[in-house]
Amino acid sequence: MWSAGMDSFIIAALAVCSLTAPAYGDKGTSKARSCSDIKVFYKGKGFLVEDVPQFEISGEHLRICPQGYTCCTSNVEDKLASQSRTEVENVIKDAGRSLQISLTGQYKIFDGHFLDLLNRSELNLQESFTSTWGSLYIKNSDVFSELYTELKKYYRGANINLEETLNEFWTRLLEKLFFQANGQYVIGEDYLECVSKQIDTLRPFGDTPRQMKMKVTRTLVAARSFVQGLVTAGEAVRRVSQVPMSQECMRAIMKMTYCPHCRGMPSARPCLNYCTNVMKGCLANQADLDTEWRHLADTMIQVADRLDDPAGVESVILSLPSYISEAMNTMMENIASINSKLFQTCGKPKEAGTSSTDDEIMKRRKATVEDRLEASSNKIQTLVSDVRIILGDNRPYWTSLPNLICSDRVATGLGSEDKCWNGNNRARYLPELMNDGLASQINNPEVEIDITKPDMTIRQQIMQLKIMTHRLKNALNGQDVEFQDTSDDASGSGSGCADETCSRGPRLVLPITDRPVAIPYPPENERVKASAMQNLPSISIYLLTLLILLLRR
């Protein structure tokens, strides 16, 4: 006879067996869940589906994702980790490439237009001086062509002292004009050297050289520093955008991006602050560019204002022939007084018996040259306005990268803060949001960073930005500044890498260390549940055996 107590015991035992049966997945079904969904996802990433098991397996092998029943083998986890890093690096490169293209495009347009202005100015001088100054210009055309050659070299970054170049031009022009205006005398090299030494005392060209030097120096210094600033900014973006992610960063990105797939939650999207903390940690070195990048942008905008002032770059460059012609007229009008003073200082040269050249020059001395500004006077204004917009819009570029990357990844919509992926489960993300920069990441809960070891490539670019800003400020003060050839790799070897190599993330390899590997675990209640489930099969067998023995009695 079965007693009531025995019936109760059997019912209780059956209930315990049903409760302790192995459960798989988040829904607690009685059989392991299929991995068909992650197979499709994994294949879509270009990997072999043979890596993925048919059904969920125990996840003790996982080294990045929270452990528990999973469709991810170690190989799958490694490949997805590498894939997640590659994808984030490509987003950073694409954003950098877009900004670099904008800066380089503006540089090429401005550079082409400015050189075109110099070429047009030189052509204008050749055409007008041939008709107005005749043989005087033709015999001495090399003086003028060399001036434009030096101006172009200076603008392109050559180590040329602009003030000395202009002074040399006026000295040579004085010698040529004096020689041509005094054809009736025998004038040798020694006498011309004496003449050239009197230029500051005589001031044969009036105030024109001073005015021209002031305007030309102001314009060329500003234009040269402006294009060099665009080159430096573009190069900094190129190099920094190619800096590869660290192993620690790859782990954090994998945990945020693809661990939900391994946990059977493919639709789970990261919490906003969680994603932001991950990316602020991964881009901590890049964020340290922010201060010098903003300084450069602000100073570039100031230089742009200088180029856009009422005097006008076009007006200065295209008016060079007019300035020079005016100076020559001034000298020819005062040639008698100039000769008298030079003869007193250098001695009167011997007569040669001819004076035809002097007569020709005196007939042409009232010649004037048109500026030929034409319809291009607003082009520089348009170009610098475009640069202002680009620089202004991208002042916060380096600190906005985390938001850029997270913008299309995080959970949005009603209740998203409570149902987003927080690195372990669908739940609210509780840690506080980190500030920008390397020093602020000392307590970043998502990415382990050694704040004492900054990235040297990025530090080099910070220094380049600082140097360029200093030069730009000097240019604003009218100081002539020296520049390195833009083709020179100022950062040294190893500071950058080709796009194809930077975009290819290495396979995940955990560091070999005596310390135990820190593996992120699920919340405490999930750990208890998982631990209990691993022991449940043996308990179930024990209870079933006991029940069978009781039934046989």
Side-chain angles (χ1 to χ4, degrees):
M1 290 291 293
W2 290 94
S3 66
M6 183 62 69
D7 290 338
S8 298
F9 178 80
I10 293 173
I11 293 170
L14 289 172
V16 171
C17 288
S18 66
L19 289 172
T20 57
Y24 298 86
D26 290 346
K27 296 182 180 180
T29 56
S30 59
K31 61 180 181 178
R33 284 190 306 187
S34 169
C35 293
S36 58
D37 288 343
I38 196 170
K39 278 182 177 287
V40 174
F41 162 77
Y42 194 67
K43 183 179 180 181
K45 293 294 180 182
F47 301 122
L48 297 175
V49 294
E50 288 77 7
D51 292 342
V52 182
Q54 293 296 325
F55 297 96
E56 285 185 324
I57 58 176
S58 182
E60 291 89 347
H61 59 278
L62 295 176
R63 307 184 73 181
I64 299 176
C65 296
Q67 294 183 342
Y69 282 95
T70 181
C71 285
C72 292
T73 62
S74 294
N75 197 30
V76 170
E77 189 181 42
D78 285 358
K79 287 185 177 179
L80 288 179
S82 228
Q83 177 71 16
S84 64
R85 178 168 75 172
T86 298
E87 290 172 351
V88 170
E89 286 179 342
N90 285 341
V91 170
I92 295 170
K93 285 182 186 176
D94 288 343
R97 191 176 295 112
S98 176
L99 178 55
Q100 184 192 354
I101 288 172
S102 295
L103 293 170
T104 303
Q106 292 302 315
Y107 158 74
K108 288 181 178 179
I109 295 172
F110 184 94
D111 181 65
H113 180 62
F114 195 84
L115 288 174
D116 180 61
L117 286 175
L118 286 169
N119 289 333
R120 284 170 51 198
S121 178
E122 183 176 15
L123 181 61
N124 181 17
L125 184 144
Q126 292 172 355
E127 293 176 347
S128 58
F129 275 38
T130 299
S131 60
T132 56
W133 291 103
S135 62
L136 174 62
Y137 166 70
I138 295 172
K139 292 177 181 178
N140 302 288
S141 61
D142 59 312
V143 176
F144 305 96
S145 62
E146 286 177 13
L147 170 65
Y148 279 96
T149 297
E150 291 299 294
L151 293 181
K152 290 173 189 176
K153 286 181 180 179
Y154 172 84
Y155 166 71
R156 298 312 297 267
N159 187 14
I160 294 173
N161 187 301
L162 186 57
E163 184 174 350
E164 289 181 1
T165 295
L166 293 172
N167 289 340
E168 177 66 18
F169 165 73
W170 292 114
T171 298
R172 290 189 63 198
L173 185 59
L174 169 61
E175 293 175 356
K176 297 293 185 180
L177 291 181
F178 179 81
F179 182 85
Q180 293 294 324
N182 291 281
Q184 70 273 31
Y185 297 109
V186 177
I187 300 174
E189 291 295 328
D190 291 341
Y191 194 91
L192 288 177
E193 184 177 350
C194 178
V195 169
S196 65
K197 290 179 180 179
Q198 311 309 313
I199 189 169
D200 291 333
T201 304
L202 288 174
R203 298 183 71 243
F205 302 112
D207 197 43
T208 301
R210 185 190 67 82
Q211 293 178 354
M212 178 174 147
K213 180 169 66 175
M214 180 180 65
K215 293 185 177 181
V216 169
T217 300
R218 175 187 171 98
T219 298
L220 262 74
V221 167
R224 182 165 85 152
S225 61
F226 186 71
V227 295
Q228 288 280 342
L230 289 172
V231 170
T232 299
E235 184 66 5
V237 172
R238 184 185 72 82
R239 290 183 181 275
V240 174
S241 297
Q242 291 179 351
V243 173
M245 295 288 181
S246 66
Q247 292 285 341
E248 292 79 9
C249 183
M250 179 169 67
R251 292 170 63 92
I253 293 174
M254 166 62 188
K255 186 179 177 184
M256 176 184 74
T257 306
Y258 291 134
C259 282
H261 291 267
C262 293
R263 286 294 308 272
M265 305 177 192
S267 62
R269 295 168 72 84
C271 303
L272 176 58
N273 283 0
Y274 172 43
C275 180
T276 304
N277 274 347
V278 169
M279 296 319 305
K280 283 195 174 189
C282 290
L283 297 171
N285 281 283
Q286 287 84 340
D288 281 347
L289 280 159
D290 182 67
T291 299
E292 293 306 327
W293 178 263
R294 288 175 183 265
H295 286 167
L296 178 68
D298 292 341
T299 312
M300 285 281 293
I301 291 173
Q302 288 180 282
V303 175
D305 292 338
R306 172 69 58 83
L307 292 169
D308 195 23
D309 70 7
V313 173
E314 284 95 343
S315 177
V316 171
I317 301 302
L318 294 179
S319 295
L320 288 179
S322 180
Y323 278 117
I324 297 170
S325 183
E326 180 182 347
M328 292 168 65
N329 277 326
T330 298
M331 179 174 173
M332 291 301 101
E333 288 175 354
N334 298 286
I335 191 65
S337 173
I338 291 170
N339 280 349
S340 175
K341 293 176 182 178
L342 285 174
F343 291 168
Q344 290 178 8
T345 304
C346 301
K348 187 174 182 179
K350 295 180 180 180
E351 295 188 6
T354 60
S355 60
S356 58
T357 307
D358 178 61
D359 292 339
E360 181 183 355
I361 294 174
M362 296 307 292
K363 291 178 183 177
R364 298 177 181 274
R365 69 183 186 186
K366 294 298 183 182
T368 58
V369 180
E370 295 180 2
D371 292 346
R372 297 190 183 182
L373 296 180
E374 299 177 4
S376 66
S377 58
N378 292 324
K379 187 162 185 181
I380 288 287
Q381 294 173 336
T382 301
L383 291 175
V384 296
S385 177
D386 291 342
V387 172
R388 278 197 206 97
I389 293 172
I390 293 171
L391 293 173
D393 290 347
N394 288 282
R395 284 181 77 253
Y397 177 77
W398 298 108
T399 53
S400 67
L401 274 178
N403 293 331
L404 172 69
I405 294 171
C406 291
S407 61
D408 62 345
R409 292 172 178 262
V410 301
T412 57
L414 188 64
S416 61
E417 290 187 2
D418 295 318
K419 297 180 180 179
C420 53
W421 173 254
N422 65 7
N424 292 304
N425 265 310
R426 283 182 183 267
R428 181 179 289 269
Y429 182 73
L430 298 178
E432 64 177 338
L433 189 63
M434 296 292 101
N435 291 323
D436 298 310
L438 186 61
S440 301
Q441 308 309 310
I442 189 169
N443 294 318
N444 192 311
E446 309 306 334
V447 189
E448 184 178 345
I449 298 175
D450 186 350
I451 66 171
T452 66
K453 295 180 179 179
D455 183 271
M456 294 313 298
T457 296
I458 293 177
R459 296 295 139 175
Q460 288 166 351
Q461 292 309 307
I462 290 174
M463 183 56 64
Q464 291 299 312
L465 295 177
K466 186 177 293 187
I467 292 171
M468 189 66 239
T469 300
H470 179 70
R471 289 170 172 167
L472 286 164
K473 288 180 178 178
N474 284 342
L476 282 171
N477 294 328
Q479 298 177 19
D480 196 358
V481 290
E482 294 182 5
F483 292 100
Q484 280 186 308
D485 186 344
T486 54
S487 63
D488 183 30
D489 184 1
S491 301
S493 61
S495 60
C497 54
D499 284 350
E500 62 270 18
T501 57
C502 284
S503 62
R504 193 183 306 121
R507 183 181 183 276
L508 173 62
V509 179
L510 294 177
I512 299 174
T513 174
D514 293 333
R515 296 166 53 194
V517 178
I519 301 176
Y521 287 100
E524 194 65 30
N525 60 335
E526 290 291 324
R527 292 172 59 186
V528 171
K529 179 181 177 182
S531 176
M533 285 175 62
Q534 292 172 15
N535 296 323
L536 287 180
S538 61
I539 296 173
S540 300
I541 293 171
Y542 173 79
L543 289 173
L544 285 171
T545 303
L546 178 61
L547 180 60
I548 292 169
L549 289 174
L550 288 171
L551 289 173
R552 287 179 177 178
R553 292 179 60 181

